Amino acid sequence: MNADMPGNSVNAPGAESAQTPERSEPGQASAARVAAVVVLAAGAGTRMKSRTPKILHELGGKSMVAHALAAARGLAPERLAAVVRHERDRVAEHIASVDPDAVIVDQDEVPGTGRAVEVAIEALDAVVAAEGGSLAGTVVVTYGDVPLLTTGLLAELVREHEAGGNAVTVLTAVLDDATGYGRILRGGDGTVTGIREHKDATEDERAIREVNSGIYAFDAAVLRDALKQVTTENAQGEKYLTDVLAIAREAGGRVAALATTDRWQVEGANDRIQLQALAAEHNRRTVEGWMRAGVTVVDPATTWIDATVCLAEDVTVKPNTQLHGATVVERDAVIGPDTTLTDVLVGEGATVKRTDGTKAEIGAGATVGPFTYLRPGTRLGPEGKIGAFYETKNAVIGRGAKLSHLGYVGDAEVGEGTNIGCGNITANYDGVSKHRTVIGAHVRTASNTVFVAPVTVGDGAYTGAGAIVRKDVPAGALALSVAPQRNAEGWTEANRAGSPSAAAAARARTAAAHARDTAETSQSAASPTKEEGK
C-alpha cells in the first residue's frame, strides 16, 4: 500500500511472486490481453535509511522492482510503463536492464499516486497514438515494492474485472488484524461503496477485515476521464488514486473488489524489517516449491535459494546452504552442508560440501570440498576432485584429475587423470602480470611442488618433493630440485641465546654427550685386559 493513499497505512502491500517451478507462464494470465500495466516506482523510501533506492533492494536474488516487473510482464500486456522520480537515472537504468521494453515515465512536481498514474496514461496514450491507435481496455496499476505478488493473482484480478464489466476493480486482502489499514466498504450487491481510513472508521467498520491493497484494474477510458477530475484539494495536497473509485461510481460505473487471503501477495516493504520478512517468506515459498518438484532439502530453515536458481529432480541440499544467481544443479548432485554457490554449474551426481564458489563449473560425478574456494573461471572435469583447503581460479581441470588438499591452482590447465600432491601451488603472478601453468595428463606431483609460471609439464611427468619447477618438464621426465643439505651445528645456542629453543638444544646436547660417555664407559668395562687375554 502506498503511504500517500487514503485507506493505506504502509507502502504498497502488493508484491511480485516467489518464482517457484509452478509459476504461471507469461501469456497465459487472462482471457483478454491487458492493454497496459503501470508500475509505480517513484517513491523515495526514506525509512530504508539507505543510499540505495528502496525498490532496488534485493530479495531472492532480484530487486523488488524486478520481481514486480516480472509479475506485471507475466500478464503479457500490450504496454508496460514504470513511473520514476527518486534517483531517477539509477532506477530507470535498472528497470531498462530488467525489462528493456518498459516505457519509462517521469513523475512531475505534482505529488500523489493519482498524478503518477495520470502521467503514465498520458505517456502511453502518446506512444499508442504515434502508432496510429488508442489506449483502450484494461489498465492494471501495481507497485515496485511488492515482490511477492504473483502473475496468477493479477490475472485473477483482470478476469474478475472483465467478467463483471467493471469500471474499477480493487485487489483487497483479508487480514486477521486490519489495524491501520483502510477498510473496504461493500454494498448489498457486493460492489465497493467506499474505502474508510482506520482513523475515520466506526467501531463496526473497524471490525471489517478486508483492506485495500492499492492495486487496481481500471477501464482505460474511465481511468483517463476520472484522473482529470482528481484534485489536490486535501490535507496532503496530493492527487489520490483512490479518488477515482468515487468518481467512477458517481458516473454510474461498477466498482468491485477481488479479495485474497494470502496477505503476503499484497505486502510491501518500507524498511529493512519488512524487507527481511518478505525475503524469508519468498524463500520459504521457493524452497517448498523445489521440494514439490523433487528436490530434497534437509533443513529448509537454513537453506536459501534465489528465484533465478534451477535445480533438477533428486538433488539433495544439506543444511546451511545458499544457492544464488544463475546456479544450476543437475540430477543426483549433493550440495552442502555449509556451502554458498553463486552462478555455479554443478553436474549430475557431483558432491559439493563446505565450499564457497562463484562462476565455476563442476563436472558430473566430481567432488569438491570440504573448505574449498572456487573462484571465477574454475572448470572441474567429470569425476575430478578439488579437496580440502584448496583455492582455484581461472583453472581448467581435466576429467578424473585430483587436487586433493592444501594448495592453489590459478591461471592453469591440469590434464586428465593428473594427481597434484599436497601443498602444491602455481606461482602465477610476477608482480606485474599473470602467467599460465600447463600440466599434462596423468602427471604425478609430489608434496610442496611450486610451479613458477609460465611453465609446461608434459604428460606422464613426475616431480620430487619440494621441487621448484622453473623450466618446462618433458613428457615422462622427473623434475627435481636437489641441493646438498648443510647443518650449522650450535646455531641456535649461538644466535638465540636465552630462548626456549636454545635451552632445549642445550639440554639435548648435554643428554647426547652424557649418552656417549655412558656408552664409552660401558664399552671399556666390557673389553678384556691384556692379562685376561693371555
Side-chain angles (χ1 to χ4, degrees), residues 1-13 170-186 192-202 204-216 242 245 257-260 266-267:
M1 304 176 191
N2 203 300
D4 66 1
M5 295 189 301
N8 298 297
S9 62
V10 296
N11 246 8
V170 57
L171 180 62
T172 66
V174 178
L175 306 180
D176 291 335
D177 181 2
T179 302
Y181 290 87
R183 305 310 204 277
I184 297 294
L185 306 181
R186 291 182 181 257
V192 175
T193 60
I195 299 174
R196 186 81 73 223
E197 290 188 75
H198 179 86
K199 66 181 182 223
D200 298 326
T202 66
D204 287 342
E205 289 170 340
R206 289 186 179 187
I208 297 170
R209 294 167 52 213
E210 185 180 13
V211 302
N212 181 23
S213 75
I215 298 168
Y216 303 93
T242 47
L245 279 68
L258 172 69
T260 178
V266 289
E267 283 284 359

Side-chain angles (χ1 to χ4, degrees), residues 81-156:
V83 182
V84 299
R85 180 173 174 82
H86 177 70
E87 293 274 3
R88 187 264 179 210
D89 291 344
R90 185 175 176 185
V91 171
E93 181 181 10
H94 178 75
I95 290 173
S97 71
V98 171
D99 191 328
D101 294 328
V103 177
I104 304 297
V105 181
D106 294 295
Q107 185 167 0
D108 56 21
E109 297 299 324
V110 180
T113 51
R115 181 55 182 167
V117 173
E118 187 174 28
V119 296
I121 295 301
E122 291 170 355
L124 291 172
D125 279 339
V127 170
V128 176
E131 298 175 355
S134 62
L135 184 66
T138 299
V139 175
V140 173
V141 175
T142 182
Y143 297 86
D145 66 344
V146 288
L148 267 65
L149 180 65
T150 64
T151 293
L153 185 55
L154 284 177
E156 288 184 44

Side-chain angles (χ1 to χ4, degrees), residues 19 60-62 290 305-310 323-328 343:
Q19 294 190 3
K62 301 196 303 184
W290 284 118
I305 303 175
D306 282 354
T308 47
V309 168
C310 185
L323 303 177
H324 299 305
T327 293
V328 176
D343 300 332

Side-chain angles (χ1 to χ4, degrees), residues 438-444 455-463 469 471-480:
V438 178
I439 301 173
H442 300 286
V443 171
R444 298 291 184 267
V455 69
T456 298
V457 178
D459 293 350
Y462 277 59
T463 69
V469 180
K471 300 185 297 183
D472 290 353
V473 180
L478 171 63
L480 298 170

Side-chain angles (χ1 to χ4, degrees), residues 245-268:
L245 279 68
I247 293 170
R249 186 175 176 85
E250 289 170 3
R254 186 173 189 270
V255 179
L258 172 69
T260 178
T261 56
D262 184 359
R263 72 177 183 87
W264 289 106
Q265 290 207 54
V266 289
E267 283 284 359

Side-chain angles (χ1 to χ4, degrees), residues 480-498:
L480 298 170
S481 295
V482 179
Q485 179 173 322
R486 182 173 67 89
N487 297 332
E489 294 285 345
W491 184 92
T492 301
E493 291 176 82
N495 293 276
R496 298 292 184 268

Side-chain angles (χ1 to χ4, degrees), residues 176-525:
D176 291 335
D177 181 2
T179 302
Y181 290 87
R183 305 310 204 277
I184 297 294
L185 306 181
R186 291 182 181 257
D189 60 355
T191 60
V192 175
T193 60
I195 299 174
R196 186 81 73 223
E197 290 188 75
H198 179 86
K199 66 181 182 223
D200 298 326
T202 66
E203 286 302 313
D204 287 342
E205 289 170 340
R206 289 186 179 187
I208 297 170
R209 294 167 52 213
E210 185 180 13
V211 302
N212 181 23
S213 75
I215 298 168
Y216 303 93
F218 295 97
D219 176 80
V222 170
L223 178 62
R224 185 185 294 108
D225 293 342
L227 285 171
K228 294 176 183 177
Q229 303 175 53
V230 175
T231 71
T232 59
E233 295 176 1
N234 52 62
Q236 300 298 322
E238 300 179 7
K239 296 190 76 167
Y240 292 134
L241 185 59
T242 47
D243 288 352
V244 170
L245 279 68
I247 293 170
R249 186 175 176 85
E250 289 170 3
R254 186 173 189 270
V255 179
L258 172 69
T260 178
T261 56
D262 184 359
R263 72 177 183 87
W264 289 106
Q265 290 207 54
V266 289
E267 283 284 359
N270 288 310
D271 58 31
R272 296 176 195 254
I273 296 171
Q274 293 173 344
L275 178 63
Q276 174 52 32
L278 285 167
E281 178 62 19
H282 178 279
N283 187 68
R284 186 190 68 78
R285 296 181 182 208
T286 300
V287 171
E288 287 190 2
W290 284 118
M291 289 192 288
R292 293 188 196 100
V295 174
T296 295
V297 180
V298 176
D299 184 10
T302 62
T303 300
W304 288 80
I305 303 175
D306 282 354
T308 47
V309 168
C310 185
L311 308 176
E313 291 179 359
D314 292 319
V315 163
T316 297
V317 182
K318 294 189 175 182
N320 296 311
T321 292
Q322 299 86 43
L323 303 177
H324 299 305
T327 293
V328 176
V329 184
E330 301 292 352
R331 193 164 194 146
D332 295 318
V334 178
I335 310 299
D338 309 317
T339 294
T340 301
L341 303 181
T342 304
D343 300 332
V344 175
L345 173 60
V346 181
E348 184 172 348
T351 299
V352 185
K353 60 183 177 181
R354 293 191 170 87
T355 293
D356 189 302
T358 302
K359 297 184 184 300
E361 296 180 16
I362 299 167
T367 61
V368 178
F371 310 113
T372 306
Y373 183 24
L374 306 181
R375 293 169 60 189
T378 296
R379 291 167 52 195
L380 176 62
E383 308 299 329
K385 177 182 179 180
I386 302 176
F389 301 101
Y390 230 100
E391 179 180 345
T392 60
K393 187 267 297 183
N394 194 24
V396 179
I397 301 156
R399 175 183 290 272
K402 293 180 172 57
L403 287 62
S404 293
H405 37 225
L406 298 171
Y408 170 73
V409 169
D411 299 301
E413 298 175 26
V414 178
E416 178 179 356
T418 286
N419 191 320
I420 302 296
C422 178
N424 283 209
I425 67 167
T426 56
N428 56 326
Y429 184 49
D430 63 8
V432 177
S433 302
K434 299 288 181 70
H435 301 283
R436 199 154 186 83
T437 298
V438 178
I439 301 173
H442 300 286
V443 171
R444 298 291 184 267
T445 71
S447 297
N448 296 320
T449 297
V450 177
F451 300 94
V452 182
V455 69
T456 298
V457 178
D459 293 350
Y462 277 59
T463 69
I468 301 177
V469 180
R470 299 178 181 275
K471 300 185 297 183
D472 290 353
V473 180
L478 171 63
L480 298 170
S481 295
V482 179
Q485 179 173 322
R486 182 173 67 89
N487 297 332
E489 294 285 345
W491 184 92
T492 301
E493 291 176 82
N495 293 276
R496 298 292 184 268
S499 70
S501 298
R507 288 193 299 272
R509 180 173 50 79
T510 300
H514 178 71
R516 285 195 303 271
D517 291 344
T518 301
E520 290 173 359
T521 300
S522 298
Q523 186 176 6
S524 297

